[in-house]
């Protein structure tokens, strides 16, 4: 038996994709400008946009499979930002009037969509279309990723609720409709991304885990329910001084996550190694173990990845350890991303 492998979400976009994303911000351009330009970029591409997205998705899935990944993602090729893309399909968000906010526990500042009314799902099934586009070109199950309630709340500006728990509950109910639509369509791996759990541990324990559970209500047992919990992105490749969440946060959250209705939890370990006794805390949940860094150009050799995975197996059953990158691969570019994924898959096969 070898370790299973997966990716977390984003994959580098080809130049022909008609929208930019936050990974591709050029010198002098803010992430806010990328958000503001999204609708204009789509309109400019016109009827050609869908075929370009489909082509990019097929290439992203094919690349991951060629590298040996067992459960690829769609690469989030249609998204300018993994959070805002979903918000564009919900009632209650204003993308015309952005609000300046400091976010990610002070990590950076941006102009963000404004929550100006009650959050509701406007039309379910847009992620079903994304998944079907990706699954049609793969003989392996394709995973779809969705931003979680706490993370959406921190990547937008609330001018309506003034009650984080209630905002999170409404977001969870809206997200649940899309989760259930994906499950009904046949998607077997659905992932909720909650990097803000690691930055806002108290909020995660007070109401975040409950809202995570709401996201998965009504999902059948044959669907693998995944949650992702990284410790933070830099602003550019090889930035070393960016603010990450406290490593203790994983320990503080482990018991609650292990008791939550999720089958797999994704954590990062490559950029900053954990005390591996953390894995002892997950008694029933499968751990997707971040084994290659996604914001470092240095390539981890397969032997080094294998050694770290072997160390991890001293703390968790082999059946409950998967290997993956720390987070999305958008910063790396295609060649570097594929090199890292090949080494990851080689190491996972040979542990």
């Amino acid at each position: 038996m070898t370790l299973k492998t997966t990716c977390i979400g984003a994959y580098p976009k080809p130049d022909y994709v008609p929208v930019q994303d936050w990974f591709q911000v050029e010198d002098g351009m803010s992430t806010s400008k990328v958000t503001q330009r999204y609708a204009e970029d789509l309109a400019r591409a016109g009827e050609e946009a869908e075929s370009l997205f489909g082509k990019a998705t097929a290439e992203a899935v094919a690349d991951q499979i060629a590298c040996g990944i067992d459960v690829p993602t769609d690469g989030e090729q249609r998204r300018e930002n993994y959070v805002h893309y979903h918000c564009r399909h919900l009632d209650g968000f204003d993308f015309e009037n952005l609000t300046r906010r400091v976010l990610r526990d002070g990590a950076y500042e941006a102009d963000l969509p404004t929550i100006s009314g009650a959050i509701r799902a406007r039309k379910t099934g847009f992620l079903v279309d994304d998944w079907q586009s990706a699954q049609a070109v793969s003989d392996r199950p394709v995973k779809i990723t969705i931003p979680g309630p706490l993370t959406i709340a921190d990547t937008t500006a609330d001018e309506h609720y003034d009650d984080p728990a209630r905002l999170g509950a409404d977001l969870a109910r809206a997200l649940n409709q899309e989760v259930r639509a994906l499950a009904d369509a046949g998607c077997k791996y659905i992932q909720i991304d909650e990097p803000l759990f690691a930055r806002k541990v108290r909020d995660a324990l007070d109401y975040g885990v409950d809202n995570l559970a709401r996201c998965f209500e009504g999902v059948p047992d044959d669907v693998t329910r995944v949650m992702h919990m990284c410790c933070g992105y830099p602003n550019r490749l090889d930035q070393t001084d960016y603010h990450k969440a406290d490593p203790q946060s994983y320990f503080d959250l482990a018991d609650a996550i292990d008791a939550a209705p999720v089958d797999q939890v994704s954590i990062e370990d490559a950029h900053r190694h954990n005390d591996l006794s953390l894995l002892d805390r997950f008694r029933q949940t499968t751990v997707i173990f971040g084994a290659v860094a996604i914001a470092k150009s240095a390539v981890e050799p397969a032997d080094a990845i294998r050694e770290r995975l072997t160390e991890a197996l001293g703390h968790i059953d082999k059946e409950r350890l998967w290997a993956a990158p720390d987070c999305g691969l958008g910063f790396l570019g295609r060649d570097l991303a594929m090199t890292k994924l090949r080494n990851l898959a080689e190491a996972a096969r040979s542990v």
Side-chain angles (χ1 to χ4, degrees), residues 272-323:
R272 182 181 66 191
H273 283 355
N274 297 287
D275 174 347
L276 289 178
S277 66
L278 169 68
L279 302 180
D280 298 322
R281 306 285 290 274
F282 296 103
R283 299 174 181 84
Q284 57 188 11
T285 309
T286 293
V287 173
I288 299 173
F289 191 74
V292 295
I294 50 78
K296 294 180 179 179
S297 57
V299 175
E300 302 86 348
D303 286 347
I305 300 170
R306 182 186 307 112
E307 181 178 348
R308 186 62 176 169
L309 292 172
T310 300
E311 292 174 10
L313 286 170
H315 299 268
I316 191 170
D317 300 335
K318 194 170 188 178
E319 295 79 6
R320 290 193 300 113
L321 186 71
W322 287 36

Side-chain angles (χ1 to χ4, degrees), residues 9-138:
Y11 190 79
K13 282 182 172 56
D15 291 341
Y16 61 77
V17 168
V19 297
Q20 273 193 307
D21 64 27
W22 280 26
F23 297 115
Q24 299 169 310
V25 172
E26 302 160 355
D27 290 341
M29 178 186 285
S30 68
T31 56
S32 308
K33 187 65 174 177
V34 173
T35 298
Q36 291 167 332
R37 280 179 39 175
Y38 182 81
E40 298 172 17
D41 289 344
L42 279 184
R44 191 177 301 112
E47 295 180 357
E48 189 182 16
E50 183 53 37
S51 64
L52 294 174
F53 285 137
K55 178 183 177 183
T57 298
E59 290 179 1
V61 173
D63 282 359
Q64 293 169 72
I65 291 174
C67 292
I69 298 302
D70 296 302
V71 180
T73 72
D74 72 334
E76 299 179 355
Q77 295 298 299
R78 290 170 170 80
R79 310 185 193 192
E80 91 279 21
N81 170 285
Y82 79 100
V83 175
H84 294 167
Y85 176 74
H86 202 110
C87 296
R88 291 178 187 276
H89 296 83
L90 302 175
D91 285 334
F93 287 94
D94 182 353
F95 278 85
E96 296 297 322
N97 300 292
L98 305 183
T99 301
R100 193 77 176 171
R101 267 200 59 202
V102 175
L103 62 159
R104 296 297 188 269
D105 191 30
Y108 61 97
E109 189 173 347
D111 295 317
L112 302 173
T114 306
I115 299 174
S116 57
I119 304 297
R120 297 185 183 89
R122 182 183 310 128
K123 174 183 176 294
T124 58
F126 71 96
L127 285 182
V128 171
D129 293 340
D130 293 0
W131 171 71
Q132 289 175 336
S133 173
Q135 191 61 70
V137 297
S138 173

